[in-house]
Amino acid sequence: MALLNILHFPDPRLRTIAEAVTIFDEDLKTLVSDMFETMYEAPGIGLAATQVDVHKRLLVMDVSEEKNNPKVLINPEILEKEGEEEMDEGCLSVPGYYETVRRAEKIRVRAQDAHGDFFEISADGLEAVCIQHEMDHLEGKLFVDYISNLKRDRIRKKLEKLKKQEQRA
Ligand code: K1U
Ligand code: ZN
């Protein structure tokens, strides 16, 4: 297993639209297990392949308190959306910032597992928010795209400054 490097906003690679997964082989299983290790270590409740510079339609998540309910969604598609809710979101690619985002309250999703088998899940609350947040990553979209240009620009400048300081250290 390996820890993967997480890209940080405003890295342009985070804007890549991911491609469908078509091959369900050992390399995919290794990527899934490396993504779980990276997500748990961060720590986070979700991680999209885009964030680790792999542009495939794949996400991992575990919103349980005990960190014992890992889920992998490959080629996820939202079948149904219901209601709206606002929740504070963070992002491992935008470290240190939390913003309120409005999303669907309940969703029904169709996806494939690591063997390529199709399944459907219904999600609400934090799980629904997390799936929508991670699926945005697969479209090259970040939660900061839902806030004002002014706020997003401030975050971008602060993270760019932080990166320069880290490079000098
Ligand atoms: O996509 C990501 O960057 C992961 C992100 C997922 C997410 C969080 C909150 C709302 C929507 C989506 C995170 O995991 S940020 C870290 C975080 O929320 C957290 C970390 C440790 C414990 C509990 C939460
Ligand atoms: Zn994120």
Side-chain angles (χ1 to χ4, degrees), residues 6 39 42-48 51 67 87-94 97-98 103 126 129-131 133-134 137:
I6 298 176
M39 178 192 79
I45 57 170
L47 188 69
Q51 293 176 275
K67 298 290 156 223
M87 207 181 268
D88 279 356
E89 297 190 14
C91 181
L92 299 173
S93 295
V94 190
Y97 292 90
Y98 290 85
R103 298 192 187 269
L126 183 59
V129 168
C130 188
I131 293 173
H133 175 114
E134 303 310 333
H137 277 302

Side-chain angles (χ1 to χ4, degrees), residues 17-18 40 54 75 85 91-92 98 103 125 143 146 158 162:
I17 297 177
Y40 285 126
V54 176
N75 299 325
E85 73 175 333
C91 181
L92 299 173
Y98 290 85
R103 298 192 187 269
F143 83 110
Y146 293 95
K158 286 200 180 139
L162 213 67

Side-chain angles (χ1 to χ4, degrees), residues 50-68:
T50 309
Q51 293 176 275
V52 293
D53 203 19
V54 176
H55 302 288
K56 291 182 184 165
R57 303 191 78 81
L58 148 71
L59 65 91
V60 298
M61 58 186 284
D62 187 345
V63 300
S64 69
E65 291 273 322
E66 304 79 15
K67 298 290 156 223
N68 60 2

